[in-house]
Amino acid sequence: MRLRALTKVSSLLIREGNNRMDLEPQKVVDEILNPILNKLYTSHTKAVDYKSPEELKQIIDFSLPDQTTSIDLKDIKQLIQNTFEFTPSTQHPFQFNYLYSKPDFVGVLGDWIISLINSNVHTYEASPVFSMAEVELIKNLAAIVGLGEDADGIFCPGGSYSNMMAVFLAKNRCIENEDIKEKELVIFKSEQAHYSIDKAATLLGIKPDNICRVSCDKKGRMQIRSLRRQIEGCLSADKKPACVCATSGTTVLGGFDPLDEISEALSDYGRIWLHVDAAWGGAVLMSAQHRHLMKGIERADSMTWDFHKALNAPILCSAFLVRSAISIKSMFHVYDSYLFHDSEPLRQYDLGRKTAQCGRRGDAFKLWLMWKVRGRSYFESRVDKSFKVTSEAIKLIKERTAFWLYDENPAFWNVCFYFVPEHLRHKDGIKACSEREKLELQAITKKLYKCLNKDGRVLVNYAEINGDPPFLRLIFGNPELSSEQIKDVFDIIESTGNIII
Amino acid sequence: MRLRALTKVSSLLIREGNNRMDLEPQKVVDEILNPILNKLYTSHTKAVDYKSPEELKQIIDFSLPDQTTSIDLKDIKQLIQNTFEFTPSTQHPFQFNYLYSKPDFVGVLGDWIISLINSNVHTYEASPVFSMAEVELIKNLAAIVGLGEDADGIFCPGGSYSNMMAVFLAKNRCIENEDIKEKELVIFKSEQAHYSIDKAATLLGIKPDNICRVSCDKKGRMQIRSLRRQIEGCLSADKKPACVCATSGTTVLGGFDPLDEISEALSDYGRIWLHVDAAWGGAVLMSAQHRHLMKGIERADSMTWDFHKALNAPILCSAFLVRSAISIKSMFHVYDSYLFHDSEPLRQYDLGRKTAQCGRRGDAFKLWLMWKVRGRSYFESRVDKSFKVTSEAIKLIKERTAFWLYDENPAFWNVCFYFVPEHLRHKDGIKACSEREKLELQAITKKLYKCLNKDGRVLVNYAEINGDPPFLRLIFGNPELSSEQIKDVFDIIESTGNIII
């Protein structure tokens, strides 16, 4: 059957009427977006201008009107400018608080296109280009990880979601096995693993007692002896060890669990799902020089890898990868016929089959565009440079008596240290401090964090671990940072410290 | 303590060097974004230019390079233009396939700002403005729904996620109750409710047998008698009815479950969580004229409301609302200290406490901006106009003998109908057809759907229900559609139908 030639549809030629509620996109770009871009990329004021909710309410009227009489582009511009001004700047070179720095502008462009196209990446039919870009990405990522020919994966709205997928698949594999169907399932994570594992397990019905916390060494790495002990305890209680969630790049110390040793250990206890939460640390896989940190990753059953963290795609952009395609393809058996019309071989591009989402934003596309435009080697050079920047920072800290590093030689870009008041500087680090001195350091860290935030030139975080007093945690994930800038940052921290004590 | 005045940081004055990998944002806007916007908003070609994966691979090189030598804006522009060209256009007036039409450009702008700001809406500290905008929205939405003073909520990455939250909270309430802790939990949904309920239940460990499907009347509404029977069956099997998931706006027919009657019925069986999936139909609450369709919603325990569907925020923008704030605030008890530093009263703005996500995109902000700029009454007028457009479409279908409406008087904007070949037009609708005739109609619908998709001027969907042959389903959610345009659409469908039979 041949359709007649496409005829013109007269009603489409009518330009849609402009009414008072219409915006001219071109005008919005000229009058709102361009000035913001111009300011954002040329000037650096403060990293943060922190306001309390009450103060913010004085500046921005958050209330939502029932009616508006007209649209004033100037008002919109002002709202948006205020939104930028009072949000801690992720663009700012002195933003060291978060696991991400300035978003890649190619990624931002990709994200803008995703919003403008506004398609839903559940079926090939609805989103052919986004679907194919995502499939291509998954293929390339799985190859970089080394998960083998049968690997598969899906992009998820955040690393917590990806981790949830892992726990679900691990649970599924147990439930399918008749012998262990009725046993209580247990999952294992290190005590420094991310709290999203606990949330995922709770969500999926794992009892709190069955979320086992394996102890870490001083660099934040899971201790194999402790893992073995916990698994053996679980087995002797006639429970089923369902999943070990290892971490590549812990949130606080940036520790990398020894994946090869974990795999080795697990092989002694039958089939246990090994998930690796590399939301933060996965970036090292892009680097020939640093991927040894994740040696053994190719033996994992699944992996979380966030590209909105160390590789600077805009938020969110999280990949969930699995060794065995069948585990993810068969995770649900419900597909509504109103949506999923495709038969094989198109079905492989119906990504909605591999997730608990229905509507999906095309988050993979921004990463695909970044990679397409810049090449994989760009990611490698970013990673290598950030390691260099971190080394530089460590060196500068060691030169100053005012700072004590928590880990003298961190594996990743997490730099954790104390600002130490003069009368304690002669001591041999935190371990040599009395309880009273530790309390003093705790108070100093928290006060310093607050003051730095208020000052606003440098944005830092603090964290605590192992019962030690909290320390400052700075993330050196911005490869563009110069030695001079790093020095300035430590000058600001040290001088602020000297003022507050 | 007073900090010294803010001193200039010399290293920030250095403009970051441009290397070959840098893009000038301004140039990208001029050379890529503006031409795309210009084309997108002034011309209407086809609604879809459908290509198979093999064809698409010939046009777009999806492969990801290891290295690139330079960035050519023209190449990027071409990639993006192709992405638009071969993605079914959600901007196109003749797109009737999906539950969303042209995204609101104010919403698109909001989404662009979210990407550019790139902040994470988990803590007030990280995202003060986005957090407060979201809290304000939740307050306003809960008031519109009528959930009472103690209501709360959170924006989620999609309606499926919001539905999952509901099932989780319902389950939690049961688990907290010692008496029913050990009983099997059962959830109820109508047979026409969305498949995300099944996915959520499966994810959360509800056994497949304990997902009960309540039958519907011919307008897609849950039948109370069937609901009662199912609940009583569950109780007599000594299981616990945990949650009834009602629907406001089913996916296929646009049916609204009778919420008041459901609440009435539930009150006979003790405490059962009532969740209303109004992902699609929630928009009627904005309209004084049409909100009666959701009469009784104020008695629900929770509700899903997607603003990326009927109210045209860009994807994703889904609100999850609960009657009782405590249920969502206490859903998890794990918060990592590296992230959540705030104490009361700031804590109310730490939205990461109310979800299983950690990193969150600021999806609420785009809706807040739309509302701020346009006022609530804009949503009302959109909704009222779309109802008028739908009535017009129904009227035009009834005037033609070539079409049989599946529901003569649909409650919402879902218009479901058959194209009927001439020799069957004398019959009294689908119920009067023989099995052979039904098979013929099934073949015609599927063929017509394929041909219309290939033709590309009109984008439609098909669906089936109740064992009847599949029909075309068109969504009339675009309030800007003129009578002439609607007539053209039916002309195209009818003439294509006449060609293929």
Side-chain angles (χ1 to χ4, degrees):
Chain A
M1 176 221 59
R2 280 170 52 88
L3 283 179
R4 61 185 176 164
L6 205 73
T7 53
K8 271 244 177 303
V9 182
S10 62
S11 63
L12 284 181
L13 300 177
I14 302 163
R15 277 289 300 278
E16 284 158 52
N18 287 331
N19 62 37
R20 68 175 179 83
M21 282 308 184
D22 273 4
L23 288 185
E24 283 284 339
Q26 205 80 49
K27 246 182 146 173
V28 169
V29 169
D30 287 348
E31 295 185 25
I32 299 179
L33 194 62
N34 274 336
I36 283 168
L37 282 176
N38 194 35
K39 198 175 161 203
L40 197 64
Y41 285 95
T42 57
S43 73
H44 295 302
T45 51
K46 287 168 151 195
V48 59
D49 187 353
Y50 185 82
K51 301 279 180 229
S52 73
E54 289 315 312
E55 290 168 324
L56 209 49
K57 281 179 193 168
Q58 300 302 315
I59 301 166
I60 299 177
D61 174 12
F62 286 97
S63 71
L64 293 166
D66 194 63
Q67 308 227 4
T68 54
T69 48
S70 66
I71 292 179
D72 187 337
L73 288 190
K74 280 207 200 77
D75 291 346
I76 303 180
K77 188 177 166 189
Q78 188 58 54
L79 269 180
I80 290 175
Q81 277 175 341
N82 283 338
T83 303
F84 272 93
E85 193 164 345
F86 301 108
T87 299
S89 170
T90 59
Q91 307 276 350
H92 198 283
F94 287 5
Q95 185 287 102
F96 298 97
N97 188 338
Y98 306 112
L99 302 183
Y100 39 90
S101 56
K102 192 169 76 170
D104 184 338
F105 193 72
V106 180
V108 171
L109 177 67
D111 228 10
W112 288 357
I113 300 304
I114 294 166
S115 300
L116 200 55
I117 286 198
N118 201 42
S119 81
N120 217 323
V121 196
H122 41 35
T123 59
Y124 178 81
E125 186 209 44
S127 267
V129 183
F130 287 172
S131 299
M132 290 190 64
E134 183 161 347
V135 167
E136 181 70 22
L137 255 181
I138 292 289
K139 194 182 79 185
N140 278 267
L141 292 175
I144 286 174
V145 178
L147 286 179
E149 285 300 303
D150 189 36
D152 201 346
I154 185 94
F155 277 73
C156 295
S160 297
Y161 201 101
S162 296
N163 285 340
M164 179 184 79
M165 294 279 283
V167 178
F168 181 63
L169 296 190
K171 203 182 143 194
N172 266 3
R173 194 165 74 182
C174 294
I175 291 170
E176 280 161 14
N177 184 331
E178 282 300 322
D179 296 345
I180 49 179
K181 209 172 181 175
E182 297 303 325
K183 287 193 185 180
E184 286 188 19
L185 302 183
V186 178
I187 69 162
F188 304 84
K189 53 167 267 185
S190 90
E191 58 190 4
Q192 293 183 28
H194 196 254
Y195 73 106
S196 58
I197 307 282
D198 302 75
K199 281 193 174 183
T202 307
L203 206 58
L204 271 50
I206 309 268
K207 293 183 186 164
D209 290 349
N210 291 335
I211 305 171
C212 290
R213 298 163 74 85
V214 180
S215 60
C216 288
D217 66 14
K218 67 186 167 114
K219 296 180 81 66
R221 293 175 301 205
M222 190 184 271
Q223 286 187 306
I224 302 297
R225 212 163 27 172
S226 169
L227 175 64
R228 282 187 179 275
R229 209 165 37 230
Q230 299 253 20
I231 293 176
E232 282 157 18
C234 158
L235 288 169
S236 65
D238 202 30
K239 297 178 179 179
K240 165 66 190 166
C243 182
V244 171
C245 296
T247 310
S248 293
T250 58
T251 325
V252 175
L253 295 183
F256 285 77
D257 287 343
L259 303 180
D260 256 341
E261 290 173 53
I262 292 172
S263 284
E264 261 334 287
L266 294 193
S267 65
D268 290 345
Y269 304 103
R271 238 178 145 200
I272 304 176
W273 188 281
L274 174 58
H275 172 64
V276 178
D277 176 3
W280 173 222
V284 301
L285 292 173
M286 291 288 188
S287 157
Q289 197 185 337
H290 297 285
R291 64 173 291 148
H292 66 88
L293 286 164
M294 287 181 67
K295 196 166 165 294
I297 183 62
E298 66 284 354
R299 299 164 78 176
D301 291 294
S302 61
M303 170 183 168
T304 294
W305 187 352
D306 286 2
F307 290 88
H308 60 266
K309 293 198 169 88
L311 292 172
N312 289 68
I315 291 165
L316 298 164
C317 191
S318 175
F320 173 66
L321 303 170
V322 283
R323 153 184 311 293
S324 155
I326 188 72
S327 63
I328 190 169
K329 276 183 186 142
S330 64
M331 68 187 292
F332 294 109
H333 301 280
V334 278
Y335 314 107
D336 237 336
S337 61
Y338 81 91
L339 193 58
F340 293 94
H341 301 318
D342 292 332
S343 48
E344 296 295 356
L346 267 194
R347 196 170 284 178
Q348 62 180 301
Y349 299 107
D350 281 351
L351 300 176
R353 293 175 186 271
K354 299 183 200 167
T355 170
Q357 290 191 283
C358 173
R360 297 176 69 237
R361 194 169 185 276
D363 286 326
F365 179 74
K366 56 191 158 190
L367 178 61
W368 180 82
L369 191 67
M370 284 164 63
W371 194 328
K372 192 82 194 159
V373 168
R374 300 188 183 280
R376 188 208 49 82
S377 60
Y378 171 79
F379 299 127
E380 177 160 27
S381 92
R382 271 195 73 96
V383 169
D384 291 347
K385 279 185 203 159
S386 289
F387 272 102
K388 281 201 189 110
V389 167
T390 306
S391 301
E392 180 79 17
I394 295 290
K395 202 184 105 217
L396 289 176
I397 290 180
K398 284 183 178 167
E399 287 170 10
R400 295 180 188 226
T401 56
F403 299 138
W404 286 345
L405 279 162
Y406 188 76
D407 176 354
E408 297 273 324
N409 188 23
F412 203 34
W413 311 337
N414 306 39
V415 176
C416 300
F417 62 95
Y418 295 99
F419 170 79
V420 186
E422 202 136 7
H423 67 279
L424 291 180
R425 290 182 191 167
H426 67 282
K427 294 235 162 198
D428 194 20
I430 189 72
K431 297 295 174 201
C433 288
S434 69
E435 283 312 305
R436 226 194 54 202
E437 289 161 346
K438 284 182 180 174
L439 282 176
E440 191 184 345
L441 283 169
Q442 167 177 319
I444 288 173
T445 297
K446 289 194 176 180
K447 199 168 172 187
L448 187 50
Y449 160 79
K450 264 195 192 156
C451 288
L452 286 168
N453 247 1
K454 258 213 151 61
D455 173 297
R457 287 172 296 171
V458 177
L459 190 54
V460 303
N461 197 1
Y462 75 89
E464 58 186 296
I465 225 153
N466 294 331
D468 288 324
F471 38 72
L472 294 179
R473 186 203 69 175
L474 274 67
I475 301 292
F476 284 86
N478 177 358
E480 291 162 10
L481 222 54
S482 69
S483 303
E484 196 196 348
Q485 285 177 318
I486 303 172
K487 192 186 149 294
D488 279 345
V489 168
F490 291 129
D491 281 347
I492 293 170
I493 296 174
E494 184 169 350
S495 60
T496 309
N498 285 330
I499 294 168
I500 62 157
I501 52 174
Chain B
M1 176 222 59
R2 281 171 51 86
L3 283 180
R4 61 183 176 166
L6 204 73
T7 53
K8 271 245 177 303
V9 182
S10 62
S11 62
L12 284 182
L13 300 177
I14 302 163
R15 278 289 299 279
E16 284 158 52
N18 288 330
N19 62 37
R20 69 174 178 85
M21 282 307 183
D22 273 4
L23 288 185
E24 283 283 339
Q26 206 80 49
K27 247 182 145 172
V28 170
V29 169
D30 287 347
E31 295 185 25
I32 298 179
L33 194 62
N34 275 336
I36 283 168
L37 283 176
N38 194 35
K39 197 174 162 204
L40 198 63
Y41 285 95
T42 57
S43 72
H44 295 302
T45 51
K46 287 169 151 194
V48 59
D49 188 353
Y50 185 82
K51 301 277 180 231
S52 73
E54 289 314 312
E55 289 168 324
L56 210 49
K57 281 179 192 167
Q58 300 302 315
I59 302 166
I60 299 176
D61 174 12
F62 286 97
S63 71
L64 293 166
D66 194 63
Q67 308 227 4
T68 54
T69 47
S70 66
I71 292 179
D72 187 337
L73 288 190
K74 280 206 200 77
D75 291 347
I76 302 181
K77 189 177 165 188
Q78 188 58 54
L79 269 180
I80 291 175
Q81 277 175 342
N82 283 338
T83 303
F84 272 92
E85 194 164 344
F86 301 107
T87 299
S89 170
T90 59
Q91 307 276 349
H92 198 283
F94 287 4
Q95 185 287 102
F96 299 97
N97 187 339
Y98 306 112
L99 302 182
Y100 39 90
S101 56
K102 192 170 76 171
D104 183 338
F105 193 72
V106 180
V108 171
L109 176 67
D111 229 10
W112 288 357
I113 300 304
I114 294 166
S115 301
L116 200 55
I117 285 199
N118 201 42
S119 82
N120 216 324
V121 196
H122 41 35
T123 59
Y124 177 81
E125 186 208 44
S127 266
V129 183
F130 287 172
S131 299
M132 290 190 65
E134 183 161 347
V135 167
E136 181 70 22
L137 255 182
I138 292 289
K139 195 181 77 184
N140 278 266
L141 292 175
I144 286 174
V145 178
L147 286 179
E149 286 299 304
D150 190 35
D152 202 347
I154 185 93
F155 276 73
C156 295
S160 297
Y161 200 100
S162 296
N163 286 339
M164 179 185 80
M165 293 279 282
V167 178
F168 181 63
L169 295 189
K171 202 182 144 193
N172 266 3
R173 195 165 72 181
C174 294
I175 291 170
E176 280 161 13
N177 184 330
E178 281 300 322
D179 296 344
I180 49 179
K181 209 171 181 176
E182 297 303 325
K183 288 193 185 179
E184 285 188 20
L185 302 182
V186 179
I187 69 161
F188 304 84
K189 53 167 267 186
S190 89
E191 58 190 4
Q192 293 183 28
H194 195 254
Y195 73 107
S196 58
I197 307 282
D198 301 75
K199 281 192 174 183
T202 307
L203 206 57
L204 271 51
I206 310 267
K207 293 183 188 165
D209 289 349
N210 291 335
I211 305 171
C212 289
R213 297 163 75 85
V214 181
S215 59
C216 288
D217 66 14
K218 67 187 168 112
K219 295 180 81 66
R221 293 175 302 205
M222 189 184 273
Q223 286 187 306
I224 302 297
R225 214 163 26 171
S226 168
L227 175 64
R228 281 188 180 275
R229 209 166 37 231
Q230 298 254 21
I231 293 177
E232 282 157 17
C234 158
L235 289 169
S236 65
D238 201 30
K239 297 178 178 178
K240 166 66 189 165
C243 183
V244 171
C245 296
T247 311
S248 293
T250 58
T251 324
V252 175
L253 294 182
F256 285 77
D257 287 343
L259 303 181
D260 256 340
E261 290 173 53
I262 292 173
S263 285
E264 259 337 285
L266 293 193
S267 65
D268 290 345
Y269 305 102
R271 239 178 145 200
I272 304 176
W273 188 282
L274 174 58
H275 172 64
V276 178
D277 176 2
W280 172 222
V284 302
L285 292 173
M286 290 290 187
S287 158
Q289 198 186 337
H290 297 284
R291 63 173 291 148
H292 66 87
L293 286 165
M294 287 182 67
K295 197 166 165 293
I297 182 63
E298 65 284 354
R299 299 163 79 177
D301 291 294
S302 61
M303 171 183 167
T304 294
W305 187 352
D306 285 2
F307 291 88
H308 59 267
K309 294 199 169 88
L311 292 172
N312 290 68
I315 291 165
L316 298 164
C317 191
S318 175
F320 174 67
L321 302 170
V322 283
R323 154 184 311 292
S324 155
I326 189 73
S327 64
I328 190 169
K329 277 184 185 140
S330 63
M331 69 188 291
F332 294 109
H333 301 279
V334 278
Y335 314 107
D336 236 336
S337 61
Y338 81 91
L339 192 59
F340 293 94
H341 300 319
D342 292 332
S343 48
E344 296 296 356
L346 268 195
R347 197 170 285 178
Q348 62 180 302
Y349 300 106
D350 282 351
L351 300 176
R353 293 176 187 273
K354 300 184 200 167
T355 170
Q357 290 191 283
C358 173
R360 297 177 69 237
R361 195 169 184 275
D363 286 326
F365 179 75
K366 56 191 158 191
L367 178 61
W368 179 82
L369 191 67
M370 284 164 63
W371 193 328
K372 192 83 194 160
V373 168
R374 300 189 183 280
R376 188 208 51 80
S377 60
Y378 171 79
F379 298 127
E380 177 160 27
S381 91
R382 270 194 74 97
V383 169
D384 291 348
K385 279 184 204 159
S386 289
F387 272 102
K388 282 202 188 108
V389 166
T390 306
S391 301
E392 180 80 17
I394 295 290
K395 202 184 106 219
L396 290 176
I397 290 180
K398 284 183 178 166
E399 287 169 11
R400 295 181 187 224
T401 55
F403 299 138
W404 286 346
L405 279 162
Y406 189 76
D407 176 354
E408 297 273 324
N409 188 24
F412 203 35
W413 311 337
N414 307 38
V415 176
C416 299
F417 62 96
Y418 294 99
F419 170 80
V420 186
E422 202 137 6
H423 67 280
L424 291 180
R425 290 181 191 167
H426 67 282
K427 293 236 163 197
D428 194 20
I430 189 72
K431 297 294 174 201
C433 288
S434 68
E435 283 311 306
R436 226 195 54 202
E437 289 161 346
K438 284 182 180 175
L439 282 176
E440 191 184 346
L441 283 169
Q442 167 176 320
I444 288 173
T445 297
K446 289 194 176 180
K447 198 167 173 189
L448 187 50
Y449 159 80
K450 264 195 192 155
C451 288
L452 286 168
N453 248 0
K454 257 213 152 60
D455 173 297
R457 287 172 296 170
V458 177
L459 191 54
V460 304
N461 197 1
Y462 75 89
E464 58 186 297
I465 226 153
N466 294 331
D468 289 323
F471 38 72
L472 294 178
R473 187 203 69 175
L474 274 68
I475 301 292
F476 283 86
N478 177 358
E480 291 162 11
L481 222 55
S482 70
S483 303
E484 196 197 349
Q485 285 177 318
I486 303 172
K487 192 185 148 294
D488 279 345
V489 168
F490 291 129
D491 282 347
I492 293 170
I493 296 175
E494 185 170 348
S495 60
T496 309
N498 285 329
I499 295 168
I500 62 158
I501 53 175

